[in-house]
Amino acid sequence: MNRQATENESGYADVVAHRGRELADAVAVLAEGEGPLLVHGPGGEHQSGLVLALALLAAGLTHDDAVAAALPAETRPDALIQALAAIGALGGTEPYLLRHGLMVSHFLALRERFAGDEAGLAAGDVS
């Protein structure tokens, strides 16, 4: 069974359980980047919304605000909600990302990037 078939059957449970390092690496790229952000997977699919939600949660947005901002980027809204719940059950976004390699400096950079202006969302910094 290929990776895409597994993700289709289990939502992002496999991604959360076995690819945390890749998720943390993607969030780190967003933390280190400059200018407007564009998050997408191959063909604009897969975990784009999940990566964006994790970055926004790491930046300090509330769960509801992060999910609302990430849903337009997500082709599978139910999978996003389930993945975030699974991460919550593992201790939450910050511990999950730290365990998988995100540095405190990345959290600080994300918080600075999205500080004020409704976390930069009103200016269209996130898509």
PDB file of all heavy atoms in Angstrom, residues 79-100:
ATOM      1  N   ALA A  79      -9.628  15.415   8.263  1.00  0.00           N
ATOM      2  CA  ALA A  79      -8.302  14.885   8.590  1.00  0.00           C
ATOM      3  C   ALA A  79      -7.499  15.900   9.392  1.00  0.00           C
ATOM      4  O   ALA A  79      -6.772  15.530  10.322  1.00  0.00           O
ATOM      5  CB  ALA A  79      -7.567  14.509   7.309  1.00  0.00           C
ATOM      6  N   LEU A  80      -7.633  17.180   9.047  1.00  0.00           N
ATOM      7  CA  LEU A  80      -6.940  18.228   9.796  1.00  0.00           C
ATOM      8  C   LEU A  80      -7.409  18.251  11.247  1.00  0.00           C
ATOM      9  O   LEU A  80      -6.592  18.254  12.178  1.00  0.00           O
ATOM     10  CB  LEU A  80      -7.167  19.591   9.146  1.00  0.00           C
ATOM     11  CG  LEU A  80      -6.700  20.806   9.953  1.00  0.00           C
ATOM     12  CD1 LEU A  80      -5.192  20.795  10.121  1.00  0.00           C
ATOM     13  CD2 LEU A  80      -7.160  22.088   9.291  1.00  0.00           C
ATOM     14  N   ILE A  81      -8.707  18.249  11.449  1.00  0.00           N
ATOM     15  CA  ILE A  81      -9.266  18.292  12.802  1.00  0.00           C
ATOM     16  C   ILE A  81      -8.810  17.072  13.592  1.00  0.00           C
ATOM     17  O   ILE A  81      -8.417  17.190  14.762  1.00  0.00           O
ATOM     18  CB  ILE A  81     -10.813  18.370  12.749  1.00  0.00           C
ATOM     19  CG1 ILE A  81     -11.279  19.600  11.964  1.00  0.00           C
ATOM     20  CG2 ILE A  81     -11.410  18.325  14.148  1.00  0.00           C
ATOM     21  CD1 ILE A  81     -10.816  20.924  12.507  1.00  0.00           C
ATOM     22  N   GLN A  82      -8.853  15.904  12.987  1.00  0.00           N
ATOM     23  CA  GLN A  82      -8.435  14.673  13.669  1.00  0.00           C
ATOM     24  C   GLN A  82      -6.949  14.701  13.997  1.00  0.00           C
ATOM     25  O   GLN A  82      -6.526  14.267  15.071  1.00  0.00           O
ATOM     26  CB  GLN A  82      -8.775  13.456  12.823  1.00  0.00           C
ATOM     27  CG  GLN A  82     -10.260  13.204  12.716  1.00  0.00           C
ATOM     28  CD  GLN A  82     -10.602  12.129  11.704  1.00  0.00           C
ATOM     29  OE1 GLN A  82      -9.747  11.612  11.007  1.00  0.00           O
ATOM     30  NE2 GLN A  82     -11.892  11.803  11.610  1.00  0.00           N
ATOM     31  N   ALA A  83      -6.129  15.208  13.078  1.00  0.00           N
ATOM     32  CA  ALA A  83      -4.683  15.270  13.316  1.00  0.00           C
ATOM     33  C   ALA A  83      -4.367  16.200  14.481  1.00  0.00           C
ATOM     34  O   ALA A  83      -3.542  15.870  15.339  1.00  0.00           O
ATOM     35  CB  ALA A  83      -3.960  15.730  12.061  1.00  0.00           C
ATOM     36  N   LEU A  84      -5.019  17.350  14.522  1.00  0.00           N
ATOM     37  CA  LEU A  84      -4.780  18.281  15.623  1.00  0.00           C
ATOM     38  C   LEU A  84      -5.252  17.695  16.951  1.00  0.00           C
ATOM     39  O   LEU A  84      -4.613  17.900  17.989  1.00  0.00           O
ATOM     40  CB  LEU A  84      -5.437  19.629  15.341  1.00  0.00           C
ATOM     41  CG  LEU A  84      -4.819  20.421  14.188  1.00  0.00           C
ATOM     42  CD1 LEU A  84      -5.620  21.688  13.922  1.00  0.00           C
ATOM     43  CD2 LEU A  84      -3.352  20.731  14.442  1.00  0.00           C
ATOM     44  N   ALA A  85      -6.340  16.938  16.928  1.00  0.00           N
ATOM     45  CA  ALA A  85      -6.811  16.267  18.143  1.00  0.00           C
ATOM     46  C   ALA A  85      -5.798  15.208  18.592  1.00  0.00           C
ATOM     47  O   ALA A  85      -5.521  15.072  19.790  1.00  0.00           O
ATOM     48  CB  ALA A  85      -8.185  15.643  17.909  1.00  0.00           C
ATOM     49  N   ALA A  86      -5.231  14.480  17.633  1.00  0.00           N
ATOM     50  CA  ALA A  86      -4.225  13.470  17.970  1.00  0.00           C
ATOM     51  C   ALA A  86      -2.982  14.126  18.566  1.00  0.00           C
ATOM     52  O   ALA A  86      -2.404  13.619  19.538  1.00  0.00           O
ATOM     53  CB  ALA A  86      -3.853  12.667  16.724  1.00  0.00           C
ATOM     54  N   ILE A  87      -2.575  15.262  18.013  1.00  0.00           N
ATOM     55  CA  ILE A  87      -1.422  15.991  18.556  1.00  0.00           C
ATOM     56  C   ILE A  87      -1.752  16.514  19.948  1.00  0.00           C
ATOM     57  O   ILE A  87      -0.917  16.465  20.851  1.00  0.00           O
ATOM     58  CB  ILE A  87      -1.002  17.112  17.591  1.00  0.00           C
ATOM     59  CG1 ILE A  87      -0.374  16.482  16.332  1.00  0.00           C
ATOM     60  CG2 ILE A  87      -0.046  18.095  18.254  1.00  0.00           C
ATOM     61  CD1 ILE A  87      -0.143  17.440  15.192  1.00  0.00           C
ATOM     62  N   GLY A  88      -2.986  16.980  20.139  1.00  0.00           N
ATOM     63  CA  GLY A  88      -3.421  17.414  21.463  1.00  0.00           C
ATOM     64  C   GLY A  88      -3.347  16.280  22.473  1.00  0.00           C
ATOM     65  O   GLY A  88      -2.919  16.475  23.614  1.00  0.00           O
ATOM     66  N   ALA A  89      -3.740  15.079  22.056  1.00  0.00           N
ATOM     67  CA  ALA A  89      -3.704  13.923  22.940  1.00  0.00           C
ATOM     68  C   ALA A  89      -2.268  13.505  23.273  1.00  0.00           C
ATOM     69  O   ALA A  89      -2.028  12.846  24.291  1.00  0.00           O
ATOM     70  CB  ALA A  89      -4.445  12.750  22.310  1.00  0.00           C
ATOM     71  N   LEU A  90      -1.323  13.916  22.447  1.00  0.00           N
ATOM     72  CA  LEU A  90       0.091  13.614  22.693  1.00  0.00           C
ATOM     73  C   LEU A  90       0.774  14.689  23.529  1.00  0.00           C
ATOM     74  O   LEU A  90       1.987  14.677  23.688  1.00  0.00           O
ATOM     75  CB  LEU A  90       0.828  13.456  21.356  1.00  0.00           C
ATOM     76  CG  LEU A  90       0.415  12.256  20.509  1.00  0.00           C
ATOM     77  CD1 LEU A  90       1.034  12.336  19.120  1.00  0.00           C
ATOM     78  CD2 LEU A  90       0.809  10.954  21.212  1.00  0.00           C
ATOM     79  N   GLY A  91      -0.006  15.649  24.031  1.00  0.00           N
ATOM     80  CA  GLY A  91       0.549  16.681  24.893  1.00  0.00           C
ATOM     81  C   GLY A  91       0.409  18.086  24.358  1.00  0.00           C
ATOM     82  O   GLY A  91       0.681  19.044  25.054  1.00  0.00           O
ATOM     83  N   GLY A  92       0.027  18.229  23.097  1.00  0.00           N
ATOM     84  CA  GLY A  92      -0.179  19.548  22.520  1.00  0.00           C
ATOM     85  C   GLY A  92       0.844  19.876  21.442  1.00  0.00           C
ATOM     86  O   GLY A  92       1.828  19.170  21.240  1.00  0.00           O
ATOM     87  N   THR A  93       0.591  20.967  20.769  1.00  0.00           N
ATOM     88  CA  THR A  93       1.404  21.363  19.620  1.00  0.00           C
ATOM     89  C   THR A  93       2.852  21.648  20.001  1.00  0.00           C
ATOM     90  O   THR A  93       3.779  21.150  19.349  1.00  0.00           O
ATOM     91  CB  THR A  93       0.795  22.604  18.942  1.00  0.00           C
ATOM     92  OG1 THR A  93      -0.532  22.291  18.530  1.00  0.00           O
ATOM     93  CG2 THR A  93       1.602  23.023  17.732  1.00  0.00           C
ATOM     94  N   GLU A  94       3.064  22.471  21.035  1.00  0.00           N
ATOM     95  CA  GLU A  94       4.439  22.841  21.378  1.00  0.00           C
ATOM     96  C   GLU A  94       5.287  21.624  21.760  1.00  0.00           C
ATOM     97  O   GLU A  94       6.371  21.442  21.192  1.00  0.00           O
ATOM     98  CB  GLU A  94       4.457  23.901  22.469  1.00  0.00           C
ATOM     99  CG  GLU A  94       3.998  25.250  21.948  1.00  0.00           C
ATOM    100  CD  GLU A  94       4.168  26.361  22.969  1.00  0.00           C
ATOM    101  OE1 GLU A  94       4.964  26.197  23.926  1.00  0.00           O
ATOM    102  OE2 GLU A  94       3.518  27.403  22.798  1.00  0.00           O
ATOM    103  N   PRO A  95       4.837  20.777  22.686  1.00  0.00           N
ATOM    104  CA  PRO A  95       5.655  19.607  23.007  1.00  0.00           C
ATOM    105  C   PRO A  95       5.877  18.692  21.798  1.00  0.00           C
ATOM    106  O   PRO A  95       6.969  18.149  21.611  1.00  0.00           O
ATOM    107  CB  PRO A  95       4.856  18.888  24.102  1.00  0.00           C
ATOM    108  CG  PRO A  95       4.006  19.947  24.707  1.00  0.00           C
ATOM    109  CD  PRO A  95       3.681  20.889  23.578  1.00  0.00           C
ATOM    110  N   TYR A  96       4.835  18.516  20.983  1.00  0.00           N
ATOM    111  CA  TYR A  96       4.956  17.663  19.798  1.00  0.00           C
ATOM    112  C   TYR A  96       6.035  18.193  18.863  1.00  0.00           C
ATOM    113  O   TYR A  96       6.910  17.437  18.410  1.00  0.00           O
ATOM    114  CB  TYR A  96       3.593  17.588  19.089  1.00  0.00           C
ATOM    115  CG  TYR A  96       3.605  16.779  17.821  1.00  0.00           C
ATOM    116  CD1 TYR A  96       3.497  15.394  17.859  1.00  0.00           C
ATOM    117  CD2 TYR A  96       3.727  17.398  16.579  1.00  0.00           C
ATOM    118  CE1 TYR A  96       3.505  14.643  16.689  1.00  0.00           C
ATOM    119  CE2 TYR A  96       3.743  16.661  15.411  1.00  0.00           C
ATOM    120  CZ  TYR A  96       3.631  15.282  15.469  1.00  0.00           C
ATOM    121  OH  TYR A  96       3.649  14.538  14.310  1.00  0.00           O
ATOM    122  N   LEU A  97       5.978  19.485  18.560  1.00  0.00           N
ATOM    123  CA  LEU A  97       6.954  20.064  17.638  1.00  0.00           C
ATOM    124  C   LEU A  97       8.360  20.075  18.235  1.00  0.00           C
ATOM    125  O   LEU A  97       9.341  19.812  17.524  1.00  0.00           O
ATOM    126  CB  LEU A  97       6.519  21.465  17.219  1.00  0.00           C
ATOM    127  CG  LEU A  97       5.280  21.518  16.315  1.00  0.00           C
ATOM    128  CD1 LEU A  97       4.828  22.955  16.118  1.00  0.00           C
ATOM    129  CD2 LEU A  97       5.547  20.832  14.979  1.00  0.00           C
ATOM    130  N   LEU A  98       8.479  20.352  19.525  1.00  0.00           N
ATOM    131  CA  LEU A  98       9.790  20.322  20.180  1.00  0.00           C
ATOM    132  C   LEU A  98      10.389  18.921  20.145  1.00  0.00           C
ATOM    133  O   LEU A  98      11.590  18.753  19.867  1.00  0.00           O
ATOM    134  CB  LEU A  98       9.685  20.818  21.622  1.00  0.00           C
ATOM    135  CG  LEU A  98       9.493  22.327  21.795  1.00  0.00           C
ATOM    136  CD1 LEU A  98       9.084  22.646  23.230  1.00  0.00           C
ATOM    137  CD2 LEU A  98      10.747  23.093  21.389  1.00  0.00           C
ATOM    138  N   ARG A  99       9.569  17.911  20.412  1.00  0.00           N
ATOM    139  CA  ARG A  99      10.059  16.518  20.373  1.00  0.00           C
ATOM    140  C   ARG A  99      10.569  16.140  18.991  1.00  0.00           C
ATOM    141  O   ARG A  99      11.412  15.268  18.851  1.00  0.00           O
ATOM    142  CB  ARG A  99       8.936  15.542  20.755  1.00  0.00           C
ATOM    143  CG  ARG A  99       8.787  15.306  22.222  1.00  0.00           C
ATOM    144  CD  ARG A  99       7.904  14.099  22.518  1.00  0.00           C
ATOM    145  NE  ARG A  99       6.627  14.091  21.854  1.00  0.00           N
ATOM    146  CZ  ARG A  99       5.519  14.674  22.310  1.00  0.00           C
ATOM    147  NH1 ARG A  99       5.542  15.337  23.446  1.00  0.00           N
ATOM    148  NH2 ARG A  99       4.394  14.592  21.641  1.00  0.00           N
ATOM    149  N   HIS A 100      10.017  16.791  17.972  1.00  0.00           N
ATOM    150  CA  HIS A 100      10.379  16.433  16.603  1.00  0.00           C
ATOM    151  C   HIS A 100      11.352  17.423  15.973  1.00  0.00           C
ATOM    152  O   HIS A 100      11.538  17.424  14.759  1.00  0.00           O
ATOM    153  CB  HIS A 100       9.113  16.269  15.764  1.00  0.00           C
ATOM    154  CG  HIS A 100       8.350  15.041  16.156  1.00  0.00           C
ATOM    155  ND1 HIS A 100       7.310  15.077  17.050  1.00  0.00           N
ATOM    156  CD2 HIS A 100       8.513  13.745  15.821  1.00  0.00           C
ATOM    157  CE1 HIS A 100       6.854  13.849  17.228  1.00  0.00           C
ATOM    158  NE2 HIS A 100       7.573  13.026  16.499  1.00  0.00           N
TER     159      HIS A 100
END
